[in-house]
Amino acid sequence: MGIGVSIFFITLGAILKFAIEPDVLGDSVHIDVIGVIFMCVGGAGLLLSVIFASRRGETSDRQLLDQENRPEA
């Protein structure tokens, strides 16, 4: 999940939690709970995306340094 999708899930969850009345679909579906779940999933996805993006950039820098410092054969 990318950063954009994570922000979308956080936004959608906030809308479901704070902007929609909880009893819109009746008593069997709790829209506010679904909103909290979407916000948690979006937050976890955002955290993982940032962690993996920083690790990915670190690896490419290391590979570039190895290529520049390798003696020509």
Side-chain angles (χ1 to χ4, degrees), residues 29-66:
V29 178
H30 297 282
I31 295 292
D32 54 342
V33 175
I34 295 172
V36 171
I37 291 170
F38 277 173
M39 286 190 289
C40 291
V41 168
L46 183 65
L47 181 66
L48 289 173
S49 295
V50 168
I51 289 171
F52 286 129
S54 67
R55 289 181 62 196
R56 189 176 322 135
E58 192 175 293
T59 304
S60 64
D61 289 342
R62 193 174 321 134
Q63 288 174 351
L64 180 61
L65 286 174
D66 288 343

Side-chain angles (χ1 to χ4, degrees), residues 13-25:
I15 290 170
L16 291 176
K17 172 69 176 161
F18 300 114
I20 296 179
E21 293 292 325
D23 58 351
V24 169
L25 296 177

